[in-house]
Structure formats: structure tokens, C-alpha cells
């Protein structure tokens, strides 16, 4: 046989697309060509494959080798084709039996000595192979991901020779233990909440943000507890269901991040530094990796020092906030990544941080404050649901002895209430309040005539956009749900409006 064919996969976003690897051996001048839009890493595969075959004590064929990666119009990057190419060449040169590569998928990078190295994107690859009921061969470095998905037809190899031994002698490959990770979350009950002094108003906003998956902006001087509150918010969220946990695992797998099966049901929290590049935040790069916003999918994206991020980067968040996904464009194709995150942002009220502090003097000129606040665009602020100003702590609050036990149980009670509140929303609309759009808003968030009038007056007074009004209604719905009230009442609506009323927020809105 001089022609072999084997399946592998290439990542396009978080989808693992089937690639057919064909290897043809013909007589003629010795040569080795890979065709089918290979990018640099794939072209370099030739050298790794040749060395791995020779160093595994096998024969690298003399003739002319052509490897075709189909479909030809899809760009291929990554080193995961190495193992498939090597086995294709071995079959084309009759060093392994003819039928041993039928109907299986193979992924793995080869080291020059013939060991198999881990790949990115094992989770989506396994899910795709499972759909077709095909066996899939993966590197030992990806065994944790194999265990997580729990598919019984996964073979694990550490070296090229492992697979050869398997087909030549029938020796069994190492198998994944097939345990379902996400079904056995170890940390169902939240605990370890951080002790936050004072800040009752902000605390309430954090609970509401968790209850309806609303975006939250906290404005306050340094040291007032913004980061502590953000860290508690993620703990207030209930564990992810299996489908959502698998989405998170797939994104981490494509990004090459480690996967901990015990904690994969905890919603992720990502806190990129404000100096993070645009690509690191929204995704892209040579291999088109998911960015922080996708790694925060189904969890929280925490942006501290919000105004220090580049305005262009912040504006790129608008698309995912609306659609729950981000499109990354390359020269010849576009990739979509899921990015349904909850945005939690924190900032100082002015460059020196003392503007809202009663005891310290703010020395910023009004021009400087305007420039500082002006970095946040109106459309981005419109997409924040809850805006809260945190005062600096009073002497009494600062000296307050940590009543950790009381505080812990208060947070745990809140977590239980939030879980109930989210269940109410799912039962009513099949989704959380923050995800309601258009008709769903009218259907599930009806307001009585007096409340509609109240909202219209406020809208004029505060100069709110239609988008901001929709967000106020959604927050009011969450407050009503949190109070276990069927209807949105006057107090619910007034509270929702209050999250757009603070002094600093008014300043922001008037820019
Ligand atoms: Zn200042």
C-alpha cells in the first residue's frame, strides 16, 4: 500500500473541525511535502516526524512523500497533526497493517525522540469524536481532559512506539478511566467568603448582581473593599451545570490552560491586569487563542482599575456583552468564541482616589477628573446594570473587630437566596434576567401604568438612553425575584433606579 488515510482535527474557535490526513508514497526523487494550507507549525512537522520515526527505530521511507490535509481551503495550524502524519507514512510504507488506522482519530505532537507531547483543544476534539462514535488517540498529557469528558473510546499514548506495539501485538492502549468530572463537583457549598467591613449598600448590589447575572461597576477610594466584594461575588454564584461546565472546559482546553476536574463546576473568574494587550483580553494572535473574556465565559470578568484599560479595548467588550460571543478576524477567515461573562469593574472616583473621601482632600483638577472619567464611553456605561459608589471606611468600621462567623453565615445565607432567585428566573423564562431581550422583556417584566410613568420621568431627568432603561427594568425584575415577589413593585423599581443616581455616576453620565 502506498496511500494511507487517517483523521485528525484542527481548532476553529472552540470547534474541532475534522481534517483528513492523506499520506502518499511514490517513486521518484526523495522529498517530503505537506499541502493543504499548512501554517508554519504544520510545515515544521516534517522535521519532527522524520526524526521521531528514525529515533523510534523505524525506517523513514526513501521515496517521495506527499501529505495532504483536507479540506484544502481551511488554514491548519498547530503541531497536533504530527502523530497522524507519522502513522500515515508508516502505513503507506507498509510498516504497520493496512486497516489499523480505519475510522479512528489521532492527535499528538511528536518530540524528536518519538515521545508524544500534549495538544491544545483535546476537550472539543473528544466531544466531536464522540458524536461520530469514533475511537480517538490522545497524548498522555491530555489524560485529565479525557477523564473529564468521560468517553470510553479514548486511547492514551506516551510515545509513537506505544501505538505501533498496540497494532502489531494487540497490546491494549491505556484507556481513560471515563469518570464524569462535572457530575461530581467537590465544592457544592460555597465557603471561605472574605470578611468585608461596612459597605452595606455595595454589598446589596453585589448580591443583586449575582442574583440576576448583572454587570456591576464599583467606584470608591483605594482600600474600601472593592476587590474583596468582587471575590465574594464569584463565590455567591451556584455551581455550573454539566453543559456549561463542559463549555468552560472546552475553552480552557483550546487556550492550553490546565483543567482541574474537581473545580470545573465552579464558575470561572478572570482578573486581567489593565496593561493586558487587546489580544490577551479579547482573543486572537497567531494561533487565534481565546482571550480573557472567553476564559471568563459563564463566570465573572473582573476589571480592576477600569479606567486604566485602553478605551479601544473596553469598547471591544460591547459586542460580547450584548451577544455573549466575540468574533476575531484574521486575514482570510473569522473565528467566533463564546464570551457570556458577567462584567464586574472597579475604579477610583478620581486619579488620586480621594474624591469621595471625607477625611482626605482630593487634589485633582476638574479637567483631570473629566479626562479620567472620559475614558469610559457612554455606550459602555449604558451596559453596566448596577453602579455603586463606595464611601471610605469610617473610623468605627476600620476598628471593627472581625466577626468572621456572623459574616460567613450572612454570606452563605445570601448564596442560598441567590440560588433560589436564579431558579425562579430559569423556570419563568428559561434564562437569567440579564439575558432577556425585546419581547421577553415585555412578557416577563411588566410594569403598571404608574410605574411606567415614574420610569419615563426618571428617564428624562437622568437623560437615560433606551438601553439603560431596559437595564433598569431587568434589575427591578431581579430585585422583585430576590424578594420573592411576583410583580415588580414601586420599591423594586426605585431601588433599581437608585443604582444609576449616585453623584459620581451622574458626573460620568454628563460627560
Ligand atoms: Zn482626586
Amino acid at each position: 500500500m502506498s496511500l494511507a488515510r487517517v483523521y485528525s482535527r484542527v481548532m476553529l474557535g472552540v470547534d474541532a473541525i475534522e481534517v483528513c490526513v492523506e499520506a502518499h508514497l511514490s517513486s521518484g526523487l526523495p522529498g517530503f511535502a505537506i499541502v493543504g494550507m499548512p501554517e508554519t507549525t504544520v510545515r515544521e512537522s516534517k522535521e519532527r516526524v522524520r526524526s521521531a520515526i528514525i529515533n523510534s527505530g523505524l525506517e523513514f521511507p526513501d521515496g517521495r512523500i506527499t501529505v495532504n490535509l483536507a479540506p484544502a481551503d481551511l488554514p491548519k495550524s498547530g503541531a497536533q497533526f504530527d502523530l497522524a502524519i507519522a502513522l500515515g507514512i508508516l502505513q503507506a510504507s507498509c510498516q504497520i497493517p493496512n486497516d489499523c488506522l480505519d475510522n479512528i482519530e489521532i492527535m499528538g505532537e511528536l518530540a524528536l525522540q518519538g515521545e508524544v507531547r500534549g495538544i491544545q483543544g483535546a476537550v472539543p476534539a473528544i466531544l466531536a469524536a464522540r458524536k461520530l462514535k469514533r475511537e480517538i488517540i490522545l497524548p498522555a498529557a491530555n489524560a485529565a481532559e479525557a477523564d473529564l469528558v468521560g468517553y470510553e473510546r479514548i486511547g492514551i499514548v506516551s510515545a509513537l512506539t506505544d501505538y505501533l506495539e498496540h497494532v502489531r501485538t494487540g497490546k491494549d492502549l491505556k484507556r481513560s478511566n471515563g469518570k464524569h468530572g462535572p457530575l461530581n463537583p467537590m465544592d457544592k457549598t460555597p465557603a471561605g467568603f472574605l470578611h468585608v467591613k461596612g459597605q452595606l449598600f455595595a454589598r446589596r448590589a453585589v448580591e443583586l448582581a449575582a442574583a440576576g447575572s448583572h454587570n456591576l461597576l464599583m467606584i470608591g477610594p483605594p482600600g474600601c473593599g472593592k476587590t474583596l466584594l468582587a471575590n465574594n461575588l464569584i463565590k455567591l454564584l451556584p455551581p455550573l451545570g454539566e453543559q456549561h461546565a463542559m463549555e468552560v472546559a472546552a475553552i480552557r482546553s483550546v487556550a492550553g490552560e490546565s483543567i482541574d476536574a474537581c473545580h470545573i463546576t465552579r464558575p470561572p473568574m478572570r482578573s486581567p491586569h489593565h496593561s493586558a494587550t487587546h489580544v490577551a483580553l479579547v482573543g486572537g494572535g497567531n494561533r487565534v487563542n481565546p482571550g480573557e473574556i472567553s476564559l471568563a465565559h459563564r463566570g465573572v470578568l473582573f476589571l480592576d482599575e477600569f479606567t486604566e484599560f485602553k478605551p479601544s479595548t473596553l469598547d471591544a467588550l460591547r459586542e460580547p456583552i450584548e451577544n455573549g460571543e466575540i468574533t476575531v478576524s484574521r486575514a482570510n477567515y473569522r473565528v467566533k468564541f463564546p464570551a457570556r461573562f458577567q462584567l464586574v469593574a472597579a475604579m477610583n472616583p478620581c486619579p488620586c482616589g480621594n474624591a469621595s473621601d471625607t477625611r482626605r482632600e482630593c487634589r485633582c483638577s476638574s479637567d483631570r477628573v473629566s479626562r479620567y472619567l472620559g475614558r469610559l464611553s457612554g455606550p459602555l456605561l449604558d451596559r453596566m446594570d448596577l453602579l455603586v459608589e463606595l464611601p471610605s471606611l469610617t473610623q468605627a468600621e476600620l476598628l471593627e473587630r472581625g466577626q468572621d462567623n456572623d459574616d460567613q453565615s450572612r454570606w452563605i445565607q445570601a448564596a442560598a437566596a441567590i440560588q433560589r432567585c436564579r431558579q425562579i428566573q430559569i423556570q419563568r423564562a428559561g434564562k437569567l434576567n440579564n439575558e432577556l431581550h425585546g419581547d421577553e422583556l415585555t412578557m416577563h417584566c411588566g410594569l403598571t401604568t404608574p410605574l411606567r410613568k415614574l420610569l419615563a420621568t426618571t428617564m428624562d431627568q437622568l437623560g437615560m438612553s433606551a438601553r439603560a432603561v431596559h437595564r433598569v427594568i431587568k434589575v427591578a425584575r431581579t430585585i422583585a425575584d430576590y424578594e420573592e415577589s411576583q410583580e415588580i413593585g414601586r420599591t423594586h423599581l426605585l431601588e433599581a433606579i437608585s443604582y444609576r443616581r449616585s453623584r459620581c455616576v451622574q458626573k460620568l453620565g454628563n460627560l
Side-chain angles (χ1 to χ4, degrees):
M1 184 173 196
S2 63
L3 180 71
R5 168 187 290 198
V6 54
Y7 294 109
S8 190
R9 292 197 175 262
V10 68
M11 292 305 134
L12 197 66
V14 282
D15 295 320
I17 309 291
E18 183 183 281
V19 170
C20 181
V21 180
E22 295 169 314
H24 182 223
L25 187 59
S26 56
S27 52
L29 283 176
F32 188 174
I34 298 180
V35 296
M37 276 181 99
E39 292 187 355
T40 316
T41 41
V42 182
R43 283 200 298 271
E44 288 171 351
S45 174
K46 287 188 274 191
E47 305 309 323
R48 290 189 297 271
V49 166
R50 187 198 305 270
S51 298
I53 289 181
I54 294 168
N55 289 328
S56 300
L58 299 151
E59 193 189 320
F60 193 81
D62 276 336
R64 183 167 187 78
I65 301 165
T66 310
V67 169
N68 180 34
L69 306 175
D73 58 350
L74 180 72
K76 326 274 182 327
S77 62
Q80 73 274 19
F81 301 114
D82 289 1
L83 187 57
I85 293 173
L87 289 169
I89 290 172
L90 292 174
Q91 188 175 67
S93 58
C94 302
Q95 297 182 68
I96 53 174
N98 266 345
D99 55 351
C100 72
L101 300 178
D102 289 354
N103 221 21
I104 61 169
E105 303 193 359
I106 297 175
M107 295 181 84
E109 175 185 339
L110 284 173
L112 301 186
Q113 275 293 335
E115 300 101 345
V116 179
R117 291 196 170 125
I119 55 148
Q120 280 171 244
V123 170
I126 298 167
L127 293 173
R130 184 170 73 175
K131 226 180 233 169
L132 298 174
K133 299 193 171 65
R134 280 199 193 133
E135 181 170 8
I136 180 166
I137 307 299
L138 288 173
N142 296 98
E145 286 151 89
D147 290 348
L148 183 78
V149 180
Y151 176 48
E152 56 288 345
R153 304 195 61 198
I154 303 173
I156 305 281
V157 292
S158 309
L160 178 58
T161 45
D162 283 2
Y163 196 70
L164 294 185
E165 209 178 329
H166 166 65
V167 295
R168 283 174 174 169
T169 66
K171 186 185 162 199
D172 268 349
L173 285 179
K174 233 179 101 190
R175 295 278 155 188
S176 147
N177 68 15
K179 254 186 209 145
H180 263 289
L183 291 183
N184 309 306
M186 295 205 4
D187 46 359
K188 260 188 177 148
T189 43
F193 287 101
L194 302 164
H195 178 60
V196 183
K197 292 178 178 174
Q199 308 298 9
L200 295 181
F201 188 59
R203 216 175 149 126
R204 167 83 175 171
V206 164
E207 288 176 25
L208 294 175
S213 190
H214 297 293
N215 298 329
L216 170 71
L217 173 60
M218 293 182 278
I219 307 164
C224 68
K226 301 183 296 263
T227 309
L228 296 180
L229 284 164
N231 279 297
N232 280 355
L233 194 157
I234 191 76
K235 291 180 186 143
L236 286 172
L237 301 178
L240 300 172
E242 188 182 0
Q243 196 198 333
H244 289 176
M246 212 48 90
E247 288 171 15
V248 172
I251 296 168
R252 289 188 67 90
S253 168
V254 171
E257 299 232 345
S258 66
I259 291 178
D260 176 356
C262 299
H263 296 109
I264 196 71
T265 53
R266 283 309 310 160
M269 172 158 167
R270 306 292 295 195
S271 346
H273 189 255
H274 58 73
S275 63
T277 62
H278 187 85
V279 165
L281 205 71
V282 303
N286 257 342
R287 271 205 74 221
V288 195
N289 271 329
E292 290 290 333
I293 62 169
S294 295
L295 288 160
H297 180 64
R298 303 284 175 204
V300 167
L301 179 71
F302 177 48
L303 302 183
D304 199 4
E305 312 277 2
F306 198 38
T307 46
E308 302 295 322
F309 284 82
K310 270 206 206 110
S312 60
T313 306
L314 291 182
D315 280 336
L317 299 178
R318 280 152 53 183
E319 179 200 337
I321 288 176
E322 290 298 319
N323 314 330
E325 58 181 20
I326 180 91
T327 311
V328 180
S329 295
R330 293 289 307 270
N332 43 2
Y333 62 101
R334 295 199 304 180
V335 176
K336 276 195 171 137
F337 285 109
R340 191 168 292 288
F341 56 85
Q342 182 178 357
L343 178 60
V344 176
M347 59 187 269
N348 292 337
C350 67
C352 81
N354 294 338
S356 60
D357 198 325
T358 44
R359 286 161 302 145
R360 289 194 205 95
E361 195 187 344
C362 165
R363 295 185 175 275
C364 309
S365 68
S366 63
D367 253 15
R368 207 167 152 226
V369 176
S370 304
R371 264 204 312 280
Y372 173 78
L373 298 177
R375 291 174 72 90
L376 305 180
S377 73
L380 180 64
L381 283 171
D382 272 352
R383 286 168 173 83
M384 304 305 293
D385 304 295
L386 302 152
L387 297 96
V388 278
E389 231 175 300
L390 288 79
S392 55
L393 295 176
T394 60
Q395 285 294 349
E397 281 166 340
L398 277 172
L399 295 173
E400 175 198 329
R401 301 276 292 266
Q403 293 155 319
D404 254 4
N405 286 342
D406 283 5
D407 197 41
Q408 250 341 285
S409 58
R410 271 187 12 237
W411 283 112
I412 290 172
Q413 273 168 15
I418 284 160
Q419 201 153 354
R420 277 199 305 278
C421 182
R422 288 169 76 110
Q423 273 159 8
I424 292 173
Q425 298 165 44
I426 302 283
Q427 274 163 13
R428 181 178 54 223
K431 50 171 98 172
L432 296 173
N433 289 342
N434 190 39
E435 294 166 27
L436 298 176
H437 285 290
D439 289 347
E440 297 165 336
L441 210 61
T442 353
M443 198 190 304
H444 302 299
C445 312
L447 294 177
T448 60
T449 316
L451 290 188
R452 272 208 301 277
K453 274 190 190 149
L454 171 71
L455 190 57
T457 320
T458 322
M459 189 176 164
D460 289 342
Q461 269 173 10
L462 298 180
M464 281 197 286
S465 67
R467 181 173 276 124
V469 170
H470 286 165
R471 294 201 171 255
V472 166
I473 298 174
K474 288 189 235 182
V475 172
R477 179 69 266 176
T478 300
I479 297 171
D481 291 336
Y482 201 48
E483 310 286 329
E484 301 188 20
S485 156
Q486 292 269 340
E487 310 294 331
I488 300 178
R490 191 180 164 82
T491 49
H492 306 140
L493 187 61
L494 284 174
E495 188 183 347
I497 292 170
S498 75
Y499 293 112
R500 294 208 159 253
R501 276 216 121 119
S502 69
R503 197 163 42 91
C504 195
V505 174
Q506 295 280 296
K507 241 191 272 170
L508 281 170
N510 289 338
L511 287 167

